Each structure stands twice: as structure tokens, then as C-alpha cells.
Amino acid sequence: MTAVLTVENLSTFFKTEKGIARAVENVSFSVEEGEMLGLIGESGCGKTTVAQSILRLIEFPGKVVAGSVHLNGRDLLKASDSELDSLRWKDLSVIPQNAMNALNPVYTIGDQIMEAILLHERVSKREALARTKTLLELVGIDGDRWKSYPHEFSGGMKQRVAIAMSLACSPKLVISDESTTGLDVLTQAQVIALIKNLQRKMDLSVILISHDLPMVTAICDKIAIMYAGKIVELASTEDILNDTRHPYSKALLQATPDLSDPDREVISIPGSVPNLVNIPQCCRFHTRCAFAFDRCRKETPEFREVKNGHFSACFLEEEENG
Ligand SMILES: Nc1ncnc2c1ncn2[C@@H]1O[C@H](COP(=O)(O)OP(=O)(O)OP(=O)(O)O)[C@@H](O)[C@H]1O
Ligand code: SF4
Ligand SMILES: [Mg+2]
């Protein structure tokens, strides 16, 4: 498989009155062609900061302080603003969290999708309209409704339009950051199923950011589990479920109800994610980890490959295997 996106040792910090918040530190992962990667972890663990760093949307007081982000071999962190503008539509795009913010209420949805196509590709208006209709059909909306205004659609349909818009210039990689928040449960499931369907159909690479572990395990090929600014475990979904290595991943799985096994006890994780400002060198999970020992409070465990394609950052693994 070919990696479409490679993120290496990415670190993004925020300057705050109390000191430096190390929001994302030394994060590395890749997304292959046609692969769906789930990025999961509790609130405040840095998922959005990773996405915004990839998209070059980090603004003061934040800064990407280290690392590289290669998309089809091009370093996004070094691209000029005009290169980025075109890359953002043609190579990677975002499904917005709130379609209401992404769609302009005074233009028809067709005009908005067409504008995205016409701004970034050399095609006639006629071709852009034909593509707009195809895109609408692709997301389950009658192509003839291109003349409708956003207010004429339900929340779920607006989210579908936003998805169609994100696909306007046939990107290779799509990032969805909690893009079903605010929709009712049934509509959320339909939108997620649509994203999965499009991923398969268009051979898209997708980064799916979510709090919803059961949903992520149901549809993603690979999962990266983030805790307090770091990826603590990265593996195929199969391994995350059946060969879980990191204590945080285990805790997160135990804290999630299993619909196929309603008798399994749900155990919530004690404590909360630490404040990332001036955080000392240590395993950031040590205050909540049932296995913590002296070394965990003084050193940072390395994120290392524990078996083929399966990475984890925990001293236990090292102590057991020497
Ligand atoms: N503008 C900011 N100023 C200061 N610190 C920030 C800022 N934005 C983010 N952070 C820091 O980055 C950390 C990670 O935030 P981020 O929004 O990436 O988390 P998240 O995993 O996306 O959370 P959620 O699941 O709630 O969306 C926060 O805990 C905070 O310390
Ligand atoms: S390094 Fe220590 S504190 Fe961190 S997860 Fe492993 S055992 Fe727990
Ligand atoms: Mg977020």
C-alpha cells in the first residue's frame, strides 16, 4: 500500500499565560491509499490540533514547532499559501463539524459547490454543474435540487451537502472532525455510513476524528489512540480490539459499553486528562494508570513498534520484553 499522508514527529504548542501547552507532541502516523484511520481519545487530548496542524490552520498563540506532514510526497508545512489553497481542495479536504457554518444561506447549494469547482479547476460552467449534480446524487440528494437554498434542507441533508462540497475537487484525503455532532443519533449513523460508503466507492483516504469508540471500531481500518497530546497506541482495528497493548486503550475500551455483550461491566476511567501546560517529562497517563511504577513518573515512554504495524508507548512492554 502507498501512504497518502505521512505525519512524522509532529509537535504543536500553544503559548498561554501560565506557560506552554504541549497540545500535540511527537505524533507520527500514516494513512494509506483508500484507508480509514480513526483518531480517538478523550476531550482535550489533541485530536483537533492534529487535524488543524495537517491543514495548516493553527493560529497564534499556537504553533507547529516540529515535525513534517507529507501529502503524496509534498511537505504541507513548507507549502506556500497559494499552493496550500489549491492543495486544500484538490488533495485534501475537510468535512466541517457544522454544515450551517460551511454553507452560505444566501446562495443556492449548487452555486456553492460549483464555485468551489470553478475556483480550483479549469472546467466550463456546464461541466461544473454536471459534476455538482453527480456529487449531490452521490450523497443521496436528487441532483435537480441544486437550485435549493440551505434553509430548504434538514440538518442531515445539509451535512450531506457539506460532504458533497468537500468532495468537489476529488481530494485524495478527507478529514472528518466530529462532523456529525449536533445531529440526532439516527442521522449521525446515516452520515457516518455515507462517509464509509464514499470512502469505498472513491478509494478515499479518510481521517475520522471521534469520541465514539464503537462507531470508530466498526468502520475504521486502523486506529490511533491519543492521550494528552500523544498517540499512545496505533494499530489495525483488529489489534486494537483483540491485542490491546496500552493501559489507556484498555481503559478506554472498558469504559465503553459493548452492545454485543451487555453483561460486560463498564468501568469508567478515574481522574481526568492532565493540564498540558508545563507538563513534566513522564508518562502522561501515570496519574490514572493502575500499572504505574516509579519510572513512569520520571521518564517518557517511547512510541515504538511492538509488532508489525502495531505501535505503543508504555514501559510495561519494555520491562516484559527487556
Ligand atoms: N487556542 C488555544 N489556546 C491554548 N491552548 C489550546 C488552544 N487550543 C487547544 N489548546 C490546547 O490543546 C489541547 C488539545 O485541544 P484539542 O482541541 O486539540 O483537543 P480535542 O482532542 O480535539 O478535544 P475535543 O474532543 O474536546 O474536541 C487542549 O487541552 C488545550 O490544552
Ligand atoms: S508507562 Fe507506566 S503509567 Fe504509562 S501507561 Fe505504561 S505502565 Fe501506565
Ligand atoms: Mg476536537
Side-chain angles (χ1 to χ4, degrees), residues 246-248 283-287 289-293 296 301 313-316:
H246 197 280
Y248 178 59
C283 169
R284 294 180 180 189
F285 188 54
H286 81 265
T287 52
C289 178
F291 308 95
F293 53 103
C296 311
C314 173
F315 289 131
L316 284 180

Side-chain angles (χ1 to χ4, degrees), residues 157-226:
M157 283 170 88
K158 276 200 271 274
Q159 197 58 31
R160 283 168 188 270
V161 173
I163 293 174
M165 200 149 143
S166 74
L167 300 175
C169 300
S170 317
K172 314 279 176 306
L173 176 79
V174 173
I175 300 179
S176 158
D177 185 356
E178 309 277 5
S179 54
T180 59
T181 308
L183 300 174
D184 64 80
V185 178
L186 183 64
T187 314
Q188 277 188 15
Q190 288 169 345
V191 170
I192 290 296
L194 171 68
I195 297 175
K196 182 69 198 171
N197 198 345
L198 292 170
Q199 181 234 343
R200 286 212 183 104
K201 228 186 230 171
M202 302 172 77
D203 211 21
L204 281 175
S205 303
V206 177
I207 299 178
L208 189 76
I209 298 176
S210 176
H211 287 108
D212 187 343
L213 187 58
M215 181 273 284
V216 166
T217 54
I219 70 166
C220 291
D221 305 298
K222 195 161 87 181
I223 297 179
I225 298 189
M226 271 197 95

Side-chain angles (χ1 to χ4, degrees), residues 26-86:
N26 261 327
V27 159
S28 300
F29 64 90
S30 62
V31 189
E32 317 292 323
E33 212 171 279
E35 184 176 58
M36 189 180 263
L37 169 81
L39 189 55
I40 197 134
E42 289 163 285
S43 189
C45 281
K47 305 179 297 295
T48 296
T49 307
V50 167
Q52 294 196 333
S53 303
I54 293 171
L55 294 157
R56 283 263 303 267
L57 293 174
I58 296 289
E59 286 177 0
F60 185 82
K63 193 174 180 205
V64 176
V65 294
S68 64
V69 176
H70 283 91
L71 183 72
N72 286 326
R74 282 173 81 174
D75 191 344
L76 292 186
L77 301 183
K78 292 194 177 137
S80 67
D81 287 348
S82 62
E83 274 176 320
L84 262 186
D85 184 44
S86 128

